């Protein structure tokens, strides 16, 4: 059991137990504050009964026409709170908001090597829409899967028909 | 059309300048600008871009004067204004952006863009009154654009935050009236506008009105955020004590989300209020029966609701929420001393046992149960331990070790062990028992590694917490016996564990802590960097290293670390107002006050002020081998000793994350709250002392410059009365002595919890040692030299100032240092105290050298004057005044003390003293496996090279000081 509530600035002082995970990126302050100012409803945090931050989700809505969609920018759960289905809970919340905003789909990027995450997103109804070459830069650049889930507005589920070929990051729309 | 093409031509001409600026080619940008200006003299924007290039090249005087000429001409052209804003932003002269657009808007009162930029300029300054005025101007210009009107309203609300009294009587009623007007005229367009209205009503605690808004037609605007409307409604209803309503709202929410803990707490709170109300009703109506049907009806209904939720999960996914809600229910009944005779209620013990049974295999179970341990009596706690023990299935009665079959069983066992530690059971163990348990947990840890073979390097091993527990037990024994062997074993185990779990930051945290405890900073930077601490973590986690790095004499690393920490804050200050501006643009009015508070919390951060003060003090030590370099270093600092007010400790914020390190000790041993408070007080006293010391040094340098006739830069204010550096120096010297006076209670170093407690400062050493006396003794010399520089050598009274400096400097030389090792009950242990004292003495000698540099500067001028006179008139002065010789003698004396310190520092170097740390076997670790022996050797190598580095860096600094001192001879 968990409290889901909107992320507040002060949470930035206490999210270390989540962000010290090596796959969770800590961004500069402007990044978080921009999301808080622009898409406050898309930035939610999970808090345990004892008051620790368990995880959070950060996202936004963007695109025009049939590309109007919800996007998951960051999703992370602290190691000691894994295996509780919390990520799924956060994703559901983001999908609900995107439904309210009448988005066509929700999408996210994930490292192709992160099998646990890919499997989890598949369980939540996401499928690989395309592969993005060398999306993550590092010592060795890594590809990303762009995964999508159609929302109710996309009745024919056109948004999730997989692309046959991978794309480069500069070809992303 | 004509004007449009005119603009196009200008744009085309300016393009090459912009390109050069973007590419960082400032020199070429200036050439390009000059080229354009040759063709078109009056193209102001080209001039501004030239100024920008000059500023970026560091040619501030030229750039600024060019800018100020353009500023006076009051430009109105968009591109020029834009470019000028960039210049002012980069030089942080935000007030000039406002005055720029203010002048432009007076020229073109109907220009919406200029006004809108002016509004944002005021936002950057936090000038709410001007924001309001500008927003109203915009509103009058474009009455149909709603945002402008609401910018004005928001600016009024910000004034209410600033002045609570006027807020209540004037600002908030005004803001409310303005929005009401729009509602009446049916002009409301957006959700943000209603949000702002609700903020205003809530600030005035006008809950009735707020309720009407939410329930009325305006409420339809809300609803973008999940459940935000329902929870807002419930909050307002609880303010109005409409508990019935609150309870039903949360019941509905729980029907949808039975695992949301906040909903459970608020639902229960509402029902308990109903229960209390029904008691009160009864008292008011004594005629009713003595039974309490209403009370029980409420309680029974709640209990049934919880049970239903638990029931409904039986065939589905098990959620912790309803189960924990049941325990919370029992807790509330007990806190509120309600009778539950008619209710068939399980005991807290039964419920906790059940909870462990269901959820023990989730690591979060530890934190959940810990919340409710208070409910149990001592005997029940034992019962719970026994229950958990048998439920894990891993504790045999015959003492043989049963290993976990899978991750679930392993996790459950860990939860059991952690809970028993929290109950204080580990404190009851004898030394032998504790060591035996630690050994058992190590075996379990190693066995448990098999479950993590498939894990990625970015994952944490499932069994790591076994190891942490084993290490914590070793540390328990260490605290009790003071025998370092247990601490070194702990370090060896942690060093081994990190190889199998490279991403486990808990291991790195603890290693840093333990190495520092033993005076070994060498391995810490790599561990710290390995945690990828960046951005805001510099504020919350910088404390992990910031006290120890300098305490242990790793000066270079300290410089790097402080610079990184300070950079975060400075960069943030430059960018801070961008988000405020976005919030106005997007209408996120709820965020604006939050952002302002957040920024204040960062600006007033203890870590920020400590790191920047230490950074500057360090620069005065490191970058100085002659007085000119000291003056250059001082000039480069962003401090204005003549105008800066004493740091206001009451404003400081403690943003340190002190709960990150896992520790399962009983709360009374962790003393988390008490330790934080105590450490915050210690840090504040320490900061004040260091801040004052820094200002003493900088003012002393200014006195020297004044004696040499160099104009002293008086802060950045031009019209303040001329202040005397010497007068202020005297004041700060007094402040410094007052600091020491007030810190008499800190003569003994504070010791905090070894795993989770904060790190201590060096306050004790500076308060009880000879340092402050030594530093202040030189201030008297400076005063004396200054008076001579005013009155001349003829009035040269014989004073004792030089002797005092000599004495106090000699006291800085440590006596009876036996190197790094100390005998402790017949065992040789590594002792970092000598190192810490040595570092402090090195610092003090450096400060003294700087201040002697000031004296030397004044005396050299006097000597030159005397020499000139002497040559002119040989008869009257046949011998040199003895003051010059006395000063030279003092320099020789201080230099001698410096040499002695150098000697001591070199002796610390294990290589120099041909000390083989490894062969000492400080920690008599029983020979186990090869891999452990290897790890142990590696630890000794790290210790050795760390001490070597401390010693080397200390010697290096002292070497520079000797050079510095030599240049001071007259």
């Amino acid at each position: 059991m968990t409290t889901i509530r909107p992320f507040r600035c002060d949470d930035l002082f206490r999210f270390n137990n989540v962000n010290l995970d090596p796959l969770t990126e800590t961004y500069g302050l402007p990044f978080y504050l921009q999301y808080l100012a622009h898409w406050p409803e898309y930035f939610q945090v999970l808090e345990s009964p004892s008051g620790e931050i368990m995880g959070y989700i950060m996202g936004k809505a963007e695109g025009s026409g049939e590309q109007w969609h919800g996007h998951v920018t960051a999703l992370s759960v602290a190691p000691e709170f894994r295996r509780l289905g919390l990520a799924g809970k956060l994703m559901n919340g983001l999908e609900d908001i995107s439904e309210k905003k009448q988005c066509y789909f929700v999408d996210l990027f994930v490292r192709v090597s992160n099998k646990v995450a890919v499997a989890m997103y598949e369980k939540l109804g996401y499928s690989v829409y395309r592969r993005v070459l060398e999306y993550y830069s590092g010592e060795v650049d890594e590809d990303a899967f762009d995964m999508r889930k159609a929302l109710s507005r996309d009745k024919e589920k056109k948004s999730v028909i997989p692309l046959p070929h991978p794309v480069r990051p500069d070809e992303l729309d | 059309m004509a004007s449009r093409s005119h603009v196009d031509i200008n744009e085309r001409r300016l393009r090459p300048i912009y390109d050069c600026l973007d590419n960082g080619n400032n020199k070429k940008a200036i050439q390009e600008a000059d080229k354009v200006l040759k063709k078109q003299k009056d193209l102001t924007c080209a001039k501004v871009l030239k100024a920008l290039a000059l500023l970026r090249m560091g040619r501030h005087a030229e750039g600024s004067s060019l800018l100020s000429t353009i500023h006076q001409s009051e430009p109105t052209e968009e591109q020029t204004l834009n470019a000028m804003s960039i210049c002012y932003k980069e030089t942080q002269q935000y007030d000039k952006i406002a005055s720029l657009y203010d002048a432009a808007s007076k020229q073109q009162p109907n220009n919406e863009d200029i006004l809108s930029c002016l509004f944002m300029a005021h936002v950057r300054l936090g000038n709410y009154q001007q924001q309001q005025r500008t927003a109203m101007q915009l509103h009058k210009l474009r009455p149909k654009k709603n945002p402008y009107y609401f910018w004005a309203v928001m600016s009024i609300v910000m004034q209410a935050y600033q002045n609570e009294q006027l807020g209540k009587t004037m600002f908030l009623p005004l803001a409310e009236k303005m929005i009401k007007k729009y509602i009446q005229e049916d002009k409301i367009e957006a959700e943000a506008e209603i949000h702002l209205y609700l903020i205003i009503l809530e600030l005035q605690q006008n809950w009735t009105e707020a309720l009407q808004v939410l329930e009325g037609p305006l409420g339809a605007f809300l609803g973008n955020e999940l459940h935000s409307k329902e929870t807002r409604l419930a909050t307002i209803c609880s303010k109005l004590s409409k508990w019935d309503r609150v309870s039903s709202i949360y019941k509905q929410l729980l029907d949808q989300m039975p695992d949301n803990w906040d909903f459970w707490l608020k639902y229960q709170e509402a029902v308990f209020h109903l229960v209390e109300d029904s008691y009160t009703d009864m008292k008011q109506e004594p005629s009713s029966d003595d039974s309490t049907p209403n009370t029980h009806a409420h309680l029974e209904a709640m209990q049934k609701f919880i049970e239903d939720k638990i029931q409904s999960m039986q065939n589905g996914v098990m959620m912790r929420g309803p189960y924990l809600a049941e325990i919370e229910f029992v807790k509330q009944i007990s806190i509120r001393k309600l009778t539950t005779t008619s209710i068939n209620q399980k005991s807290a013990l039964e419920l906790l046992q059940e909870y462990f049974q269901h959820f023990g295999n989730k690591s979060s179970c530890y934190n959940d149960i810990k919340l409710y341990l208070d409910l149990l009596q001592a005997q029940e706690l034992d019962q719970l331990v026994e229950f958990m023990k048998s439920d894990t299935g891993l504790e045999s009665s015959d003492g043989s070790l049963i290993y976990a079959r899978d991750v679930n069983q392993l996790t459950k066992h860990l939860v059991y062990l952690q809970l028993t530690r929290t109950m204080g059971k580990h404190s009851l163990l004898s030394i032998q028992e504790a060591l035996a348990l630690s050994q058992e947990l190590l075996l379990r840890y190693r066995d448990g590694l098999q479950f993590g073979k498939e894990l990625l390097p970015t994952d944490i091993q499932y069994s790591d917490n076994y190891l942490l527990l084993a290490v914590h037990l070793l540390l328990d024994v260490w605290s009790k016996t003071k025998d370092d062997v247990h601490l070194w074993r702990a370090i060896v185990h942690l060093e081994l564990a990190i190889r199998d779990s490279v991403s486990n930051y808990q291991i790195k945290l603890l290693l840093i802590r333990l190495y520092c405890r033993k005076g070994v900073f060498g391995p810490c930077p790599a561990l710290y960097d390995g945690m990828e601490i960046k951005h805001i973590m510099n504020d919350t986690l910088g404390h992990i290293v910031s006290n120890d790095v300098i305490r242990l004499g790793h000066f270079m690393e300290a410089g790097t670390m402080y610079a990184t920490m300070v950079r975060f804050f400075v960069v943030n200050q430059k960018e801070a107002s961008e988000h405020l501006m976005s919030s106005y643009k997007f209408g996120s009015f709820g965020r604006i006050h939050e952002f302002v508070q957040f920024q204040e919390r960062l600006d007033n951060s203890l870590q920020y002020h400590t790191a920047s003060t230490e950074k500057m003090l360090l620069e005065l030590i490191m970058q100085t081998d002659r007085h000119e370099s000291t003056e250059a270093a001082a000039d480069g600092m962003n401090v204005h000793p003549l105008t800066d007010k004493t740091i206001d400790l009451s404003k400081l914020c403690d943003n340190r994350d002190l709960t990150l390190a896992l520790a399962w000790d009983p709360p009374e041993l962790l003393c988390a709250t008490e330790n934080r408070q105590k450490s915050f007080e210690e840090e504040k006293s320490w900061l004040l002392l260091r801040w004052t010391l820094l200002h003493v040094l900088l003012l002393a340098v200014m006195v020297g410059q004044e004696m040499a006739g160099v104009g002293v830069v008086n802060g950045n204010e031009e019209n303040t009365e001329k202040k005397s550096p010497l007068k202020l120096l005297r004041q700060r010297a007094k402040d410094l002595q007052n600091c020491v006076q007030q810190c008499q209670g800190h003569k003994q170093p504070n010791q905090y919890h070894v795993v989770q407690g904060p790190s201590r400062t060096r306050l004790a050493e500076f308060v009880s040692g000879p340092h402050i006396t030594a530093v202040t003794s030189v201030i008297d010399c400076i005063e004396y030299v200054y008076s001579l520089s005013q009155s001349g050598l003829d009035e040269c009274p014989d004073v004792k100032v030089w002797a005092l400096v000599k004495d106090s400097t000699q006291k800085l030389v440590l006596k009876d240092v036996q190197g790094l090792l100390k005998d402790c009950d017949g065992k040789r242990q590594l002792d970092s105290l000598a190192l810490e004292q040595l570092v402090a003495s090195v610092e003090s000698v450096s400060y003294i050298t700087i201040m002697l540099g000031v004296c030397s500067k004044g005396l050299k001028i006097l000597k030159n004057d005397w020499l000139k006179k002497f040559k002119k008139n040989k008869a009257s002065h046949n011998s040199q005044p003895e003051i010059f010789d006395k000063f030279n003698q003092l320099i020789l004396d201080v230099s001698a003390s410096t040499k002695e310190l150098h000697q001591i520092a070199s002796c610390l170097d294990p290589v120099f003293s041909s000390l083989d740390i490894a062969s000492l076997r400080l920690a008599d670790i029983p020979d186990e496996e090869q891999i452990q022996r290897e790890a142990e050797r590696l630890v000794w190598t790290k210790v050795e090279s760390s001490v070597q580095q401390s010693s080397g860096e200390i010697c290096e600094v002292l070497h520079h000081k000797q050079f510095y001192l030599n240049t001071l001879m007259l």
Side-chain angles (χ1 to χ4, degrees), chain B residues 791-855:
Chain B
S791 62
L793 286 169
D794 299 333
E795 291 162 49
C796 185
D798 191 31
V799 284
K800 293 203 171 80
V801 287
W802 313 119
L804 280 173
V805 177
K806 181 186 168 187
D807 289 350
S808 53
T809 309
Q810 274 171 350
K811 285 195 186 118
L812 291 173
V813 180
L814 281 60
K815 301 284 177 303
D816 310 321
V817 184
Q818 291 149 358
L820 272 181
L821 299 173
K822 137 179 122 176
D823 272 337
C824 201
D825 293 335
K827 284 188 177 163
R828 272 188 292 185
Q829 303 206 337
L830 198 63
D831 175 27
S832 64
L833 195 66
L835 181 59
E836 183 175 343
Q837 286 175 339
L838 185 62
V839 171
S841 288
V842 169
E843 272 183 60
S844 296
V845 162
S846 305
Y847 304 146
I848 289 169
T849 306
I850 288 173
M851 293 202 287
L852 288 174
V854 175
C855 295

Side-chain angles (χ1 to χ4, degrees), chain A residues 142-160:
Chain A
E142 191 178 344
D143 296 354
F145 285 135
D146 176 358
M147 297 184 78
R148 288 186 176 185
K149 179 178 182 174
L151 296 180
S152 60
R153 190 169 179 191
D154 179 15
K155 290 197 181 71
E156 293 156 42
K157 300 202 184 299
K158 283 197 286 195
S159 61
V160 294

Side-chain angles (χ1 to χ4, degrees), chain A residues 58-75:
Chain A
M58 219 173 139
K60 59 182 169 184
E62 60 183 9
S64 54
E66 291 191 356
Q67 291 301 310
W68 172 242
H69 70 287
H71 174 73
V72 184
T73 303
L75 168 66

